[in-house]
Every structure is written in C-alpha cells, then in structure tokens.
C-alpha cells in the first residue's frame, strides 16, 4: 500500500462518515474485514460493519466533520491521525474527537481497523 493509496481510502472513510453512507464505508473494506471500536463489540465482515455504521453513525450522530491530519504507511499497515466532531444525538452531546487508527490492508482495501481515541464532550 502506498501513502497515496492510503490517503485515498482514508478520504473515502471520512466522506462516508460525514455523509453517513453505509454503502460507501463498506466499499473500502474487504469481505472478511474486522472493525474494532474500543467501546463496542468487534464487527467482523461487511454486513456487521454496515450494521454498526447504520446503528452508530446514521442512528446516533449528526453534524459530522472529519479532518485527516497525518498518515503513515509501513507495508500493509496504515496508521492515521484525524480530528472529528459530531453531535451525539442519543446522549445529546457535542463530541470533539482526536483519533489514531491502525489499519491493515489487503488487495487495496482495509482488512482491519483498530481505533484509539480521546474525546471531549459538552452538552448540545
């Protein structure tokens, strides 16, 4: 995976988040991909990732922004840093997030995602 390929996939990730598009998010993952949010059960496979996205991103978030800051690539491993903000409509909070995500890649798509983040929460 080149850095340019990684940035392209990460920009699609950001676009899928901002537009809350579950079809777009699964387009950048392999069939057997794993998606690990540290506060949720692990999601394995495209249908699980799609369901998670529909439940969390579409069902509980609005007014999303995504700003990719840094990208590092080492072979088939991609590490990305970004800042994001969104309204958590379920808990009625404004979330500011700083995140590092570690991806593995296979055949030009992400085969796994592990998220590590810090949030600042304020009332809406």
């Amino acid at each position: 995976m080149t850095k340019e390929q990684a940035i392209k996939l990460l920009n699609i990730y950001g676009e899928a988040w901002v537009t809350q598009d579950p079809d777009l998010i699964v387009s950048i993952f392999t069939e057997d991909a794993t998606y690990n949010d540290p506060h949720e059960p692990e999601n394995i496979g495209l249908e699980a990732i799609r369901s998670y996205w529909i439940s969390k991103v579409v069902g509980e978030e609005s007014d999303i922004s995504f700003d990719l800051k840094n990208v590092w690539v080492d072979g088939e491993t991609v590490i990305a840093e970004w800042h994001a903000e969104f309204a958590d409509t379920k808990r009625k909070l404004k979330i500011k997030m700083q995140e590092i995500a570690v991806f593995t890649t296979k055949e030009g798509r992400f085969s796994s995602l592990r998220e590590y983040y810090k949030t600042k929460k304020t009332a809406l």
Side-chain angles (χ1 to χ4, degrees):
M1 169 87 30
T2 67
K3 186 172 183 176
E4 292 76 23
Q5 291 169 317
I7 289 170
K8 181 178 178 181
L9 290 175
L10 290 161
N11 283 329
I12 294 169
Y13 180 96
E15 180 184 348
W17 194 3
V18 169
T19 62
Q20 298 174 292
D21 187 337
D23 293 326
L24 187 57
I25 197 63
V26 297
S27 76
I28 62 172
F29 285 94
T30 61
E31 279 291 324
D32 60 347
T34 58
Y35 191 116
N36 289 293
D37 177 320
H39 301 288
E40 301 292 332
E42 181 178 56
N43 294 283
I44 302 170
L46 293 182
E47 285 311 309
I49 293 169
R50 180 190 310 278
S51 293
Y52 167 78
W53 205 260
I54 290 169
S55 172
K56 295 299 283 186
V57 175
V58 177
E60 299 179 8
E61 298 177 5
S62 68
D63 303 319
I64 302 161
S65 67
F66 175 89
D67 184 20
L68 184 62
K69 296 293 186 185
N70 291 295
V71 178
W72 299 270
V73 177
D74 183 12
E76 297 304 311
T77 301
V78 175
I79 301 171
E81 175 190 21
W82 62 73
H83 296 169
E85 291 187 26
F86 58 91
D88 180 327
T89 57
K90 183 177 180 181
R91 298 182 296 166
K92 302 200 180 343
L93 296 170
K94 178 71 171 178
I95 307 292
K96 290 185 178 185
M97 173 183 286
Q98 294 178 303
E99 179 163 339
I100 298 289
V102 180
F103 298 85
T104 57
T105 64
K106 183 170 61 176
E107 300 169 358
R109 294 189 289 162
F110 294 135
S111 55
S112 72
L113 162 60
R114 294 185 318 273
E115 298 182 303
Y116 305 93
Y117 53 82
K118 179 180 179 179
T119 59
K120 181 178 179 183
K121 302 168 188 156
T122 56
L124 282 177

